[in-house]
Amino acid sequence: MRKVNMEKNLSLWYEQPASKWEEALPVGNGRLGAMVMGGVSREVIYLNEDSIWSGKPTDRINKDARNYLDEIRKLIRQGRIPEAEKLSLMALSGTPNSERSYETAGEFILEFDGVTDYKNYKRELNLETGCALVSYEADGIKYTREFIASFPDQIMAYHLKAEVGKLNFTARLDRCHNRLDEVWAETDEIGFRVESGTGIPFAVRVKARVTDGEVFTIGEHLVVKDASEVLLLIDIRTEFYCGDYDYTCGNARAYLKNDSLNSEDKAGSVINNVDYAAKKSWSDIFADHVSEFRRGFGTLSLRLGDDIVDRQCLPTDKRLQALKNGEKDPDLFALYFQYGRYLLFSSSRGKCLPANLQGIWNNSMTPPWDSKFTININAEMNYWIAESGNLSECHMPFFYFLKRVCDNGKKTAKEMYGCRGSVAHHNSDIYADTAPQDHYIPATFWVMGEAWMATHIWEHYLYTGDRDFLRNYFEIMSECVDFFEDFLIENELGELVTSPSVSPENVYIMEDGTRGCLCEGATMDIEILMELLNGYIDACEVLGVNDKAVGKVRKILERLPEIKIGKYGQIQEWLEDYDELEPGHRHISHLYGVYPGSSISYEKTPELMDAARVTLERRLANGGGHTGWSRAWIIGLWAHFLEGEKVYENLEALLCQGTFDNLMDNHPYGAGAVFQIDGNLGASAAILEMLVQCRDGYVKLLPALPKEFSEGSISGVCLRGGFELSMEWKDMKVTNWEITRRKSGNDHMTNDAGSKDERFSNTSNAGKGLTELTLLVNGEEQVLKL
């Protein structure tokens, strides 16, 4: 297939500065992040570093948990739910009940002299270079600003230029008017240190280089006079990264300024990043950044529609408003898709923490839900796009974190439940805490968090075929299996069930009107266990693990309850056919088996698939999908129900009702709305599911294509087995396609006959490598030898 330039101009742009944080433009390199407002006379850049969190690590395991576990289980079995929940709040809740919260690093504020009137303003985020740009004219002079977060140099760089005139401004650092332990200003740099608070000590440093001008400091201000060009280099360092997640290694300012440490830390990265980068020119810093950025991010292209150029001539906020007014703009959805990939690439790269509820971007000391790692869907959803979206390396911070979760979860499993193995509940934080979070019955006492995370291990292997990775992370799967072998109990039918558990984060109503959350064997628990245990069996086959381990897991699978269909024809959310307190609840937990899981499908369980559709329709009929991440999940589900128009209907609703002008997810929260990244990332993953599905032995092309996207092309989609797909389509039919083996890069198969549905054989033999690709083309089966 002939490669084409599928995207004419991949950028968000605006004709005015941002008026609030939620309109600013994000940049990031995994560890460092910033939101650029683009103000003319006053610019505010909000700074973030992913390891700035409140508090120190602490043992939160409730000392009485194990002593009361049997009594709680007995109360649940007897249907005495309010008593079980009251006792659980006292005996199982973490002590203290809350984990740590993610915090902002602060603000970088610039005040420009003499700028009153300006014209030809443009603010842009270029997704091809990872650069936020501002340009305008004032008094006949053109000014430009470029802001990047460089991964190669591990700094953020802000380049300002006046084409004919001069730049005059002052700059300072702040942090929500919070007390700082030290502020310094020395010749060409400013900075501050925070050490005496309750969190991890850190420091922020800004260094200036000027051309044809001067730079000096007054008080805490950096002053630039009569410069034609300025380069500001920014770094933020915490003591969390001084060693292998050892936050106790020394003074943060020394770490930044290299006063007392060696030139390299234990991980081999340059500590003194600012001074190192200051030896380079802006053009070299920018070139190195763009080269790395394009190499990692520019792996996948998507075109939707045929009027791309006309639409791209409009500012992004006006395009979004036009969509709300009923106009069609397929390319805006393609841009939104790539923006989701960009957000993951910018917040989860290299040796950093995984993307949290806000990725890496946060302007608060007390963000919503503490901006933690919510592992009853949100953290996992962040990574649904990683493998198929050709960002597999972005998945690695999730796995680095999972190892730490597993280590801590062993203590939690033993001390809370008297079990072997490892367990985590519905939340975690920078310290990979695994004890229950909050006094919130609908979510707190749920033991499936680490298990869900562990299913990503097998998924990563299926896409990459990386046996070394699988061998390295197999222990986590094994620890999860050991925990459930001990934790599961027999119900009255002799089935193995979780207890206590909940169906996140819903409430049921018993026949006598009693409301409850705690239960035995919620349906989602069964589905996650099926995914985990089947993945474990397949991993054992790949790695040659002994048959005894496989045998015990098969016996657990055989004794799990069957997924049931309830009185409305729906998938039951609980083992009992309860009514829900909120029929339109944001969580659709019991449809995990449809997507992202694989236990329910038209190929394997058509009756359950029909019931799952009824479930989704009932949720939506009662107001479901009112949060960004929930709507994103719904889009993915409709894709697996093969309903293209429903996919578009919900995509359009997400952009029109749940998206800020900067295309960040607008999450309802109290009286206002906040940014939450999972809506963006989950929707990007769902768009790929609309175009390509790779599971249950099939590769399906255009399985749920809406008529609004009847023409388009895509390149670089990853398939299980180590392949990449490119294809073009017109009038709702594939016109040509190409599949390439990722490792060798030269094996490929092509088809120009208009195939619609290709079957991918041998998923059960994925560990041994694919030997053939079975295609279904116009009803005829073709087998291609690989």
Side-chain angles (χ1 to χ4, degrees):
M1 185 181 87
R2 181 175 62 87
K3 299 290 185 181
V4 296
N5 180 17
M6 297 181 179
E7 298 150 323
K8 300 295 184 183
N9 181 25
L10 200 61
S11 68
L12 290 69
W13 70 278
Y14 307 85
E15 296 176 310
Q16 67 285 327
S19 62
K20 56 184 178 180
W21 184 88
E22 290 82 5
E23 295 175 357
L25 296 175
V27 295
N29 67 4
R31 184 179 66 86
L32 295 170
M35 292 286 280
V36 182
M37 297 286 286
V40 175
S41 59
R42 186 176 192 266
E43 169 69 294
V44 180
I45 298 173
Y46 294 90
L47 305 177
N48 291 108
E49 201 274 357
D50 72 346
S51 62
I52 297 176
W53 289 62
S54 68
K56 298 290 192 293
T58 186
D59 183 352
R60 298 176 47 255
I61 297 173
N62 193 316
K63 62 181 176 56
D64 293 312
R66 189 170 176 180
N67 296 332
Y68 288 92
L69 177 61
D70 288 343
E71 185 174 350
I72 291 168
R73 285 173 162 172
K74 181 179 178 181
L75 291 169
I76 293 172
R77 180 68 56 86
Q78 294 173 347
R80 296 158 63 185
I81 304 302
E83 295 174 63
E85 293 180 350
K86 181 178 180 180
L87 182 57
S88 295
L89 277 177
M90 294 185 289
L92 299 183
S93 296
T95 51
N97 74 83
S98 185
E99 296 163 343
R100 306 312 186 184
S101 62
Y102 182 50
E103 297 181 341
T104 181
E107 307 89 44
F108 184 36
I109 304 164
L110 297 90
E111 306 275 0
F112 292 88
D113 297 342
V115 179
T116 54
D117 296 323
Y118 59 91
K119 63 180 181 178
N120 297 329
Y121 178 93
K122 185 177 183 180
R123 178 169 57 100
E124 179 181 7
L125 177 62
N126 189 316
L127 301 187
E128 296 178 284
T129 62
C131 181
L133 305 97
V134 172
S135 63
Y136 58 91
E137 294 179 20
D139 298 324
I141 300 170
K142 183 176 181 180
Y143 295 91
T144 59
R145 307 178 197 164
E146 301 164 281
F147 195 102
I148 62 172
S150 168
F151 185 84
D153 289 311
Q154 282 298 303
I155 48 91
M156 293 186 285
Y158 196 21
H159 179 246
L160 303 91
K161 186 176 181 179
E163 285 197 352
V164 178
K166 300 295 183 181
L167 291 163
N168 290 279
F169 64 87
T170 62
R172 65 184 179 88
L173 292 162
D174 202 352
R175 191 181 189 230
C176 299
H177 302 289
N178 194 46
R179 185 173 65 84
L180 308 177
D181 291 294
E182 178 188 4
V183 175
W184 71 85
E186 302 167 355
T187 310
D188 61 355
E189 72 169 65
I190 56 175
F192 69 74
R193 178 176 59 87
V194 175
E195 186 169 306
S196 62
T198 59
I200 298 170
F202 73 96
V204 180
R205 183 185 180 195
V206 179
K207 185 179 182 68
R209 275 190 6 204
V210 301
T211 302
D212 301 328
E214 59 179 323
V215 58
F216 53 92
T217 60
I218 300 176
E220 62 180 12
H221 291 77
L222 184 74
V223 182
V224 172
K225 289 287 187 182
D226 297 326
S228 59
E229 191 173 350
V230 180
L231 177 60
L232 299 168
L233 302 172
I234 307 165
D235 194 12
I236 308 166
R237 285 286 175 160
T238 80
E239 294 181 3
F240 180 78
Y241 284 118
C242 287
D244 295 330
Y245 303 109
D246 175 10
Y247 73 98
T248 60
C249 73
N251 180 284
R253 183 181 178 188
Y255 189 57
L256 266 172
K257 293 176 64 60
N258 198 21
D259 289 341
S260 61
L261 300 178
N262 296 327
S263 61
E264 293 187 347
D265 68 5
K266 296 177 183 177
S269 63
V270 176
I271 288 175
N272 197 6
N273 295 331
V274 167
D275 289 336
Y276 180 81
K279 298 175 184 178
K280 301 171 63 175
S281 67
W282 160 248
S283 60
D284 286 342
I285 292 172
F286 185 75
D288 290 345
H289 159 76
V290 171
S291 177
E292 183 274 338
F293 183 90
R294 286 178 171 165
R295 187 167 57 250
F297 177 73
T299 51
L300 190 154
S301 297
L302 173 65
R303 176 177 62 85
L304 296 174
D306 59 1
D307 61 346
I308 293 175
V309 176
D310 291 342
R311 287 294 177 181
Q312 290 180 351
C313 290
L314 294 174
T316 305
D317 52 340
K318 291 184 179 179
R319 294 177 72 180
L320 190 60
Q321 185 58 50
L323 188 72
K324 295 176 182 179
N325 293 339
E327 297 183 26
K328 299 301 180 183
D329 188 353
D331 181 61
L332 183 60
F333 292 91
L335 177 65
Y336 182 82
F337 164 79
Q338 290 287 31
Y339 188 56
R341 292 183 69 246
Y342 169 84
L343 291 175
L344 181 62
F345 188 70
S346 301
S347 62
S348 183
R349 187 149 109 250
K351 293 283 186 178
C352 68
L353 291 164
N356 60 47
L357 279 175
Q358 294 181 285
I360 194 176
W361 300 280
N362 164 38
N363 65 330
S364 174
M365 300 291 288
T366 56
W369 302 285
D370 300 326
S371 197
K372 296 192 296 294
F373 307 109
T374 303
I375 56 177
N376 68 4
I377 185 171
N378 311 89
E380 291 89 350
M381 181 179 280
N382 285 352
Y383 290 89
W384 291 355
I385 188 63
E387 301 300 336
S388 58
N390 215 326
L391 295 174
S392 188
E393 285 301 311
C394 293
H395 215 159
M396 294 310 298
F398 181 90
F399 295 121
Y400 303 149
F401 180 70
L402 177 55
K403 273 202 168 185
R404 297 169 52 224
V405 167
C406 184
D407 287 344
N408 291 339
K410 295 174 186 177
K411 185 174 187 289
T412 303
K414 181 179 180 181
E415 296 187 10
M416 278 195 68
Y417 303 112
C419 296
R420 297 171 302 135
S422 180
V423 65
H425 295 81
H426 92 290
N427 246 291
S428 192
D429 63 8
I430 186 172
Y431 301 114
D433 195 300
T434 56
Q437 160 73 24
D438 292 333
H439 287 156
Y440 182 53
I441 292 288
T444 298
F445 309 116
W446 188 69
V447 294
M448 306 304 299
E450 183 180 345
W452 190 346
M453 295 178 75
T455 64
H456 284 234
I457 296 169
W458 182 244
E459 185 75 359
H460 180 77
Y461 173 76
L462 285 176
Y463 277 89
T464 65
D466 187 341
R467 293 194 186 205
D468 289 338
F469 166 85
L470 185 62
R471 188 175 294 108
N472 190 28
Y473 286 88
F474 176 76
E475 180 187 355
I476 297 171
M477 300 177 74
S478 182
E479 293 289 351
C480 289
V481 169
D482 285 347
F483 172 77
F484 286 105
E485 186 180 12
D486 289 357
F487 181 80
L488 294 173
I489 61 173
E490 284 190 0
N491 66 8
E492 294 172 340
L493 299 176
E495 299 165 327
L496 294 178
V497 294
T498 50
S499 180
S501 190
V502 298
S503 184
E505 300 173 4
N506 211 349
V507 179
Y508 59 81
I509 304 174
M510 302 173 72
E511 287 186 4
D512 64 1
T514 301
R515 298 175 180 181
C517 299
L518 288 189
C519 66
E520 292 183 343
T523 298
M524 187 188 210
D525 295 5
I526 300 166
E527 294 169 341
I528 291 176
L529 283 172
M530 292 172 69
E531 208 74 24
L532 171 70
L533 299 179
N534 281 309
Y536 175 84
I537 290 171
D538 288 339
C540 286
E541 182 180 355
V542 171
L543 300 176
V545 175
N546 65 73
D547 292 337
K548 183 178 179 181
V550 173
K552 70 178 183 181
V553 171
R554 292 191 191 279
K555 290 179 180 178
I556 295 174
L557 277 168
E558 291 170 0
R559 297 184 63 192
L560 292 177
E562 292 185 357
I563 298 171
K564 298 179 180 180
I565 298 176
K567 59 192 172 212
Y568 302 110
Q570 89 288 6
I571 298 289
Q572 286 185 196
E573 190 162 353
W574 299 273
L575 289 181
E576 301 296 328
D577 195 7
Y578 296 127
D579 283 324
E580 303 154 297
L581 180 63
E582 294 182 68
H585 198 270
R586 60 195 176 277
H587 282 257
I588 322 168
S589 303
H590 41 321
L591 296 193
Y592 167 91
V594 177
Y595 175 73
S598 59
S599 58
I600 302 175
S601 68
Y602 284 124
E603 289 77 16
K604 292 187 299 188
T605 58
E607 184 180 2
L608 289 179
M609 198 68 174
D610 291 341
R613 177 170 179 145
V614 171
T615 304
L616 182 57
E617 289 172 339
R618 290 188 73 246
R619 272 288 201 269
L620 293 174
N622 287 279
H626 50 279
T627 64
W629 63 262
S630 180
R631 182 75 69 175
W633 196 355
I634 288 165
I635 297 165
L637 288 167
W638 278 126
H640 282 269
F641 292 129
L642 311 181
E643 289 284 357
E645 296 315 309
K646 293 291 187 180
V647 165
Y648 182 81
E649 176 187 323
N650 284 275
L651 271 172
E652 188 176 55
L654 180 60
L655 265 71
C656 292
Q657 301 170 21
T659 301
F660 290 115
D661 283 348
N662 66 357
L663 297 190
M664 282 181 159
D665 177 55
N666 176 341
H667 184 91
Y669 179 72
V674 298
F675 165 56
Q676 194 166 301
I677 199 172
D678 39 31
N680 288 102
L681 304 184
S684 290
I687 288 172
L688 275 191
E689 296 297 314
M690 168 190 83
L691 299 174
V692 184
Q693 291 176 21
C694 184
R695 52 186 278 188
D696 291 334
Y698 290 85
V699 172
K700 298 178 182 177
L701 304 188
L702 308 185
L705 186 71
K707 64 180 184 297
E708 288 81 1
F709 304 149
S710 61
E711 179 177 336
S713 53
I714 193 166
S715 175
V717 180
C718 292
L719 307 176
R720 290 178 176 180
F723 294 92
E724 284 188 18
L725 165 75
S726 299
M727 67 174 171
E728 297 177 355
W729 64 92
K730 191 171 184 178
D731 298 327
M732 305 293 288
K733 294 183 178 180
V734 175
T735 56
N736 53 72
W737 56 263
E738 179 180 89
I739 294 176
T740 305
R741 193 190 303 272
R742 296 179 70 190
K743 287 187 177 180
S744 63
N746 53 21
D747 295 333
H748 66 276
M749 297 138 286
T750 62
N751 181 339
D752 296 314
S755 62
K756 292 190 296 183
D757 192 4
E758 284 73 38
R759 182 179 173 188
F760 206 21
S761 68
N762 207 8
T763 54
S764 62
N765 200 29
K768 298 177 182 176
L770 291 163
T771 59
E772 63 185 33
L773 187 64
T774 303
L775 308 178
L776 298 177
V777 182
N778 298 326
E780 296 182 4
E781 187 173 281
Q782 300 178 21
V783 179
L784 302 180
K785 300 295 182 181
L786 306 181

